[in-house]
Amino acid sequence: IAEARVPTAPATLTPITVEVFNDSDVIDGFRLEVLGLDRRLANRELLRPHLEVMPPQLSIFPETVGVITALITLPAGYPAGPAVAELRVHSVSDPDEVGVERIQLDVAAAPSATVTPVPQSMTGGRRAIFGLELDNTGNVPLELSLTVTDAENVLVGPPGTELRADTAPLADAGGAAPPTEPLPPFLVALAPRERADVRLPVSAPRPVFGTPV
């Protein structure tokens, strides 16, 4: 093996080259097997690498060296950090003849997350409850900090202690909502490939004229 440690990243093709020496006195075929890279995540999802071996079977003359290559692609969300793979070279003519080497893949961190409001909009009374779908689509644990801002000053009430904005009445029966500030950060910890749902209750003055808020 050319290198005992190889840098890689999810969704990146990584070639691993193995030199095989045929020490027998006959032409032999050799096959390469890669083990140990399957990962079970905290959400029970099983991640398996995509593996292709070129050539699938390597024929080598006696006392000759040949090269076989494993093309490894780790799936999206594969955990960052070291991943040890076991490389096994099997002789076709003698099944008991197996060469074993180990290599460490250093998987780079690839943080990524999505936030999707459900629904995108709502028509109703002065109160509504929105949902936020939080997805850790990367390969490292994340702590997402959510804040609510009211740039158009349409939500009712001062900052609260939860991810909500419906805790105070209007200043008067026909007046505008008092100025509001961003709500305190709301923290959500997610493991790689984990999803969480957050409820966001809001309220606003019912407009007599104009467009919905």
Side-chain angles (χ1 to χ4, degrees):
I1 299 175
E3 298 181 12
R5 297 181 61 177
V6 177
T8 188
T12 300
L13 181 65
T14 303
I16 306 296
T17 300
V18 179
E19 291 186 350
V20 182
F21 179 71
N22 181 6
D23 60 0
S24 69
D25 55 2
V26 297
I27 299 175
D28 199 354
F30 296 90
R31 294 175 180 170
L32 176 62
E33 183 181 19
V34 181
L35 303 174
L37 292 178
D38 290 358
R39 289 293 182 273
R40 179 79 66 177
L41 301 183
N43 63 359
R44 308 305 299 165
E45 179 183 5
L46 179 62
L47 297 183
R48 297 181 184 274
H50 179 268
L51 175 65
E52 184 178 1
V53 176
M54 299 297 295
Q57 180 171 311
L58 176 67
S59 296
I60 309 177
F61 285 95
E63 302 297 321
T64 304
V65 174
V67 174
I68 191 168
T69 301
L71 304 175
I72 301 173
T73 304
L74 302 179
Y78 195 93
V84 178
E86 183 174 276
L87 309 178
R88 293 190 174 190
V89 177
H90 299 265
S91 167
V92 174
S93 61
D94 184 0
D96 294 330
E97 187 73 21
V98 180
V100 179
E101 291 287 348
R102 288 178 175 82
I103 189 170
Q104 177 174 303
L105 300 180
D106 293 323
V107 185
S112 176
T114 62
V115 179
T116 306
V118 179
Q120 297 276 344
S121 63
M122 184 179 296
T123 301
R126 63 182 299 268
R127 296 176 183 271
I129 297 179
F130 290 87
L132 298 177
E133 293 182 352
L134 311 180
D135 282 280
N136 181 353
T137 55
N139 68 342
V140 291
L142 294 178
E143 189 174 74
L144 303 180
S145 176
L146 307 179
T147 58
V148 178
T149 59
D150 184 15
E152 298 181 358
N153 192 31
V154 294
L155 300 181
V156 178
T161 57
E162 301 178 10
L163 192 62
R164 54 184 298 152
D166 62 352
T167 56
L170 290 174
D172 55 68
T180 60
E181 301 176 7
L183 299 182
F186 182 86
L187 301 180
V188 179
L190 294 176
R193 310 282 284 185
E194 187 178 10
R195 170 181 291 183
D197 295 322
V198 175
R199 296 173 69 249
L200 175 61
V202 298
S203 65
R206 188 189 306 272
V208 179
F209 302 102
T211 58
V213 296

